[in-house]
Each structure stands twice: as structure tokens, then as C-alpha cells.
């Protein structure tokens, strides 16, 4: 038996439980869209709300005006979509961090159910908050 | 140039159970590649050292090794760029070692065949009908992926290949895309059976080391992400139009 030039963690011989072929594109597209959306939106939001407003470059919006914007159905829909994508982006990334990073192959199904389950629960909570606001 | 110490991982299955390091003092000359230093060892110091090489010009893809922890083509890596010594030379990670720096590439060869890296046609033209013509734009679509020399540095750099040995791997997917994106090819559906499995593109988590180490700028990581997008588009179509073939 030849030694294999590998690190200590090489997994051999055991077949992982697999997320079926049909779900991978869905999960990956949510992950991918969430990454893209957060990369585009978060810096802009942070720039305006955490830098430009505190620095006095732009006038701080009135609470009533902000609430009116936030309560507009288009804003609610956009924020809902963004938050759902963020959560599923996190879920996919964290799932693979546990799966590959910690090499918990035998817990694949549990990890998948837990991560996407948490993302689903957070999405439901976010929808409730966003649509009952104001 | 001062003599350079090469610290080479050796494995001689007939005399040892575990690989061991052996050091050689090599009087390197200016502009020597790491492969030149290994050839000096082989010719002048120790004829028993085993490693693969052929072209010495970055085309054949056979002299890939791990130098100071990084997968490189030793014919394209200057000794002076990996100093100070000792310069540690090991076989490519992820492949069973047959002897010294020679890895067993059977797994890669088998996976390469599974993605059918050749032109697949439903109907072949007869030779007197002439060539399959392409515009420069159509060539540009796949040219980058056609530069792969099968050196396997991308497999050695890929943490997923090491963790999940069934992963079809960066070069095989890049070569599948080289043919999928070729206007003369009609084999995308056949390759999809291999590529759209978990062990196909979905095992990849876009770490991107494959593209970092690729000596030919093939960008296998980019090829894999592009395939994920087209596989997702196919999946959306199959959901929206269930009766339609992918």
C-alpha cells in the first residue's frame, strides 16, 4: 500500500449522504445571489447610514420619512428579498464550513437541515418584521 | 551562486515504509530552474532519485512537484525565486506516491476520460464536405480552457480534491467546458451527467487555488463557476418547462 501525499483528514471509502441533484442548483443560486446582493447593497447602506449621515455629509432623514419609505410595499418587497438571500447565503457558506472545514461528513444531512432550517426560520421572522412594520 | 541545499522527499518502497527526506548540496548556476537542480542530482550525485520530466519548457506538464509547499512546474520555477534554502521538493499532494517524486495519476486519467474531452457530433460531415469552420470569436470562447497541459497542479492545490477523492476536479471540468463552449461540439448533454452530480461541479466551494497555481492561466475555478451558472439555468428551465429536455 503506497503512502498517499495527503493531509491527515483525507476521507476515503465512505459515501457521503448527498443533497440530491435537483436541489444543488437551487441552493447554490440562492447562495450566489445572496453573495452578489450583499456585496452590492451592504457597502452602499453602510456608507450612507454609518459614514455619510454621522459625518454630516448628508442630512439625517426624519424618522417619519424613513418609516414612510420603509413601509412602502416596494421597499418591503425589496428588503424581504434581500434578507432572504442574505440568510440563505449564510446557510450555504456555513454548511460547507462545517462540512469541508470541520470535515463533519457523517453529519451532512443534519448540518444541511440545521443551516437551511435556521435560514428559513430567520426568513420567516424577517418577513413578519418587515411586513408588520409601521 | 552559493551551493543550494535541496531537501527532497524520498520514498523507496522496497527499503522503507515511510517517506523520508534526503538533502543534497547542489552547485546551482545562475538562472537554473528547480528541474535543472534535480537533474544535477540525478546525473552527478544520486542516480536513484526518481521524478518525471520531459520537455523542460512548460508544455508537457509532467514535472509538477511541490516546492516549498506550493505546487509548481519545476521546469518553470527559478531556483533563485525559492531561496533561501533548503529548497523542499515533495511530490504533488493528493496523489498516491509510487516512488520518490513520482505520483500515481490513474485517478486523474480516469476522471479526464469521464468528461469526454473530445468533439462530440450528432452527425459527422464527410471529409469532402470540408472543415467545421469557426469565427475568431467562437475560438476565443474556449481557447483559454484549451491551454490546459494536464499537469495536475490544480488537483494538488485543491483542498476539496484532497478531502473528497470522488470530486471530478478542476482540470477535468475546465476541459469539459473547453468542449462544451466549442461551437463544433454537440456533447454538452452527455457531459452533464458527470458534471451536474455532487462530485461534479457542486463539490467545488470556489476556494480558487486551482486558478492561482495554474501555469497556463486556464482559470479552472472560473470554468467551474460558469458551469454552475449554466447548470442552474438548465435547472430553472426544467422546473418551468418539465417536459422539455435539459
Amino acid at each position: 500500500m503506497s503512502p498517499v501525499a495527503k493531509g491527515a483528514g483525507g476521507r476515503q471509502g465512505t459515501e457521503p449522504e448527498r443533497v440530491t441533484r435537483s436541489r444543488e442548483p437551487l441552493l447554490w443560486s440562492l447562495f450566489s445571489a445572496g453573495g452578489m446582493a450583499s456585496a452590492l447593497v451592504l457597502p452602499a447602506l453602510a456608507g450612507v447610514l454609518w459614514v455619510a449621515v454621522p459625518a454630516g455629509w448628508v442630512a439625517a432623514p426624519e424618522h417619519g420619512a424613513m418609516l414612510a419609505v420603509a413601509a412602502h410595499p416596494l421597499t418591503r418587497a425589496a428588503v424581504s428579498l434581500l434578507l432572504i438571500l442574505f440568510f440563505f447565503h449564510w446557510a450555504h457558506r456555513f454548511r460547507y464550513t462545517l462540512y469541508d472545514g470541520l470535515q463533519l461528513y457523517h453529519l451532512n444531512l443534519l448540518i444541511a437541515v440545521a443551516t437551511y432550517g435556521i435560514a428559513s426560520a430567520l426568513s420567516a421572522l424577517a418577513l413578519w418584521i418587515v411586513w408588520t412594520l409601521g | 551562486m552559493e551551493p543550494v541545499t535541496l531537501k527532497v522527499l524520498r520514498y523507496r518502497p522496497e527499503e522503507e515504509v515511510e517517506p523520508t527526506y534526503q538533502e543534497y548540496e547542489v552547485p546551482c548556476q545562475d538562472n537554473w530552474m528547480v528541474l535543472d537542480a534535480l537533474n544535477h542530482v540525478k546525473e552527478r550525485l544520486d542516480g536513484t532519485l526518481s521524478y518525471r520530466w520531459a520537455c523542460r519548457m512548460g508544455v508537457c506538464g509532467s514535472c509538477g512537484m511541490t516546492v516549498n509547499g506550493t505546487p509548481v512546474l519545476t521546469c518553470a520555477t527559478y531556483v533563485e525565486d525559492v531561496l533561501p534554502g533548503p529548497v523542499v521538493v515533495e511530490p504533488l499532494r493528493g496523489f498516491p506516491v509510487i516512488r520518490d517524486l513520482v505520483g500515481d495519476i490513474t485517478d486523474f486519467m480516469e476522471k479526464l476520460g469521464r468528461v469526454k474531452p473530445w468533439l462530440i457530433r450528432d452527425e459527422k460531415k464527410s471529409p469532402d464536405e470540408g472543415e467545421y469552420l469557426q469565427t475568431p470569436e467562437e475560438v476565443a470562447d474556449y481557447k483559454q480552457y484549451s491551454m490546459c497541459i494536464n499537469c495536475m497542479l490544480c488537483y494538488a492545490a485543491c483542498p476539496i480534491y484532497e478531502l473528497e477523492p470522488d470530486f471530478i476536479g478542476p482540470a477535468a471540468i475546465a476541459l469539459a467546458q473547453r468542449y462544451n463552449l466549442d461551437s463544433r461540439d454537440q456533447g454538452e448533454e452527455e457531459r452533464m451527467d458527470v458534471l451536474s452530480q455532487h462530485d461534479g461541479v457542486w463539490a467545488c466551494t470556489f476556494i480558487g487555488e486551482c486558478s492561482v497555481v495554474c501555469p497556463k492561466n486556464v482559470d479552472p475555478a472560473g470554468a467551474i463557476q460558469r458551469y454552475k451558472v449554466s447548470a442552474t439555468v438548465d435547472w430553472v428551465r426544467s422546473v418551468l418547462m418539465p417536459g422539455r429536455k435539459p
Side-chain angles (χ1 to χ4, degrees), chain B residues 8 14 16 22 44 48 50 56 58 74 82 89 110-111 116-117 125 130 142 146 163 169 189 201 236 240:
Chain B
V8 181
E14 70 282 0
E16 58 201 357
Q22 187 164 350
R44 307 286 175 87
T48 67
S50 298
R56 293 202 298 192
T74 50
V82 291
V89 184
E110 186 271 323
K111 286 172 175 167
K116 304 188 179 177
K125 286 205 285 192
Y142 67 84
S146 75
L163 294 168
E189 208 176 309
V201 292
V236 171
L240 297 178

Side-chain angles (χ1 to χ4, degrees), chain A residues 79-126:
Chain A
V79 171
S80 302
L81 180 68
L82 279 175
L83 289 172
I84 291 169
L85 292 177
F86 291 172
F87 294 138
F88 277 89
H89 177 84
W90 166 82
H92 197 73
R93 173 67 79 206
F94 195 62
R95 173 185 157 208
Y96 276 101
T97 300
L98 296 175
Y99 180 77
D100 283 326
L102 300 182
Q103 296 166 31
L104 302 172
Y105 300 111
H106 57 293
L107 298 177
N108 182 30
L109 189 64
L110 178 70
I111 290 169
V113 169
T115 49
Y116 299 123
I118 291 170
S120 303
L122 288 173
S123 298
L125 180 67

